[in-house]
Amino acid sequence: MTDDHILYRDGTGVELDYQEAIRLFKRAEVLEIRGGSANFGWMQLHGLGMLEDVSKGLALIKTAADEEDAYGAFYLAKLLETGEVIPQDRDRVLELYRLADENGFYPAKLAVKRLEKAHKTCAPSA
């Protein structure tokens, strides 16, 4: 269900509508549907359709990741990889992307492959 809500946030296949996305993510959060809190946190962190609140958005994403929510793990990994709003932590990035992948989040699978390929390319030859 949450995946459909992302369509409104991103304007994919429907008209971009942050207010509808916020409404649906809040509803998903209350109903404890996967990704609700993390996606709402991502919108809050970036000020999409609401005032930007980095600390509250980050807290929602971290809590979701701690609860092994695929979206929370993916978004936190993305932030840790880029150093956006929190310091980079390359050791934790792959762990979080793998967690999201294990929970069926396809973009995380692509991130794991990308990082593993980069690691092999950078690894010293024996």
Side-chain angles (χ1 to χ4, degrees), residues 54 58 62 75-89:
V54 173
L58 185 58
K62 284 182 173 180
Y75 292 146
L76 185 56
K78 213 171 162 177
L79 295 170
L80 289 167
E81 183 177 8
T82 63
E84 179 187 353
V85 305
I86 52 177
Q88 288 182 318
D89 183 347

Side-chain angles (χ1 to χ4, degrees), residues 4-125:
D4 294 338
H5 307 352
I6 292 171
L7 300 177
Y8 286 100
R9 183 194 67 198
D10 297 343
T12 306
V14 297
E15 187 174 330
L16 180 74
D17 186 343
Y18 289 144
Q19 295 312 308
E20 180 65 4
I22 290 167
R23 186 185 74 75
L24 293 170
F25 285 134
K26 281 184 176 180
R27 183 169 182 258
E29 185 178 15
V30 168
L31 297 173
E32 297 182 8
I33 296 171
R34 107 186 155 103
S37 294
N39 278 294
F40 184 74
W42 187 260
M43 291 186 72
Q44 197 167 34
L45 180 91
H46 292 97
L48 301 174
M50 65 185 86
L51 289 175
E52 180 179 295
D53 191 327
V54 173
S55 61
K56 286 183 181 178
L58 185 58
L60 285 171
I61 291 168
K62 284 182 173 180
T63 298
D66 289 344
E67 294 171 355
E68 298 188 358
D69 175 88
Y71 286 93
F74 181 81
Y75 292 146
L76 185 56
K78 213 171 162 177
L79 295 170
L80 289 167
E81 183 177 8
T82 63
E84 179 187 353
V85 305
I86 52 177
Q88 288 182 318
D89 183 347
R90 297 202 184 271
D91 294 333
R92 185 115 194 270
V93 169
L94 190 55
E95 170 191 333
L96 287 165
Y97 280 140
R98 283 186 176 135
L99 174 64
D101 178 27
E102 290 165 6
N103 284 291
F105 195 61
Y106 185 72
K109 179 183 289 302
L110 300 175
V112 168
K113 286 181 180 182
R114 174 179 52 81
L115 291 175
E116 287 177 342
K117 182 178 179 182
H119 180 71
K120 288 177 186 175
T121 303
C122 295
S125 302

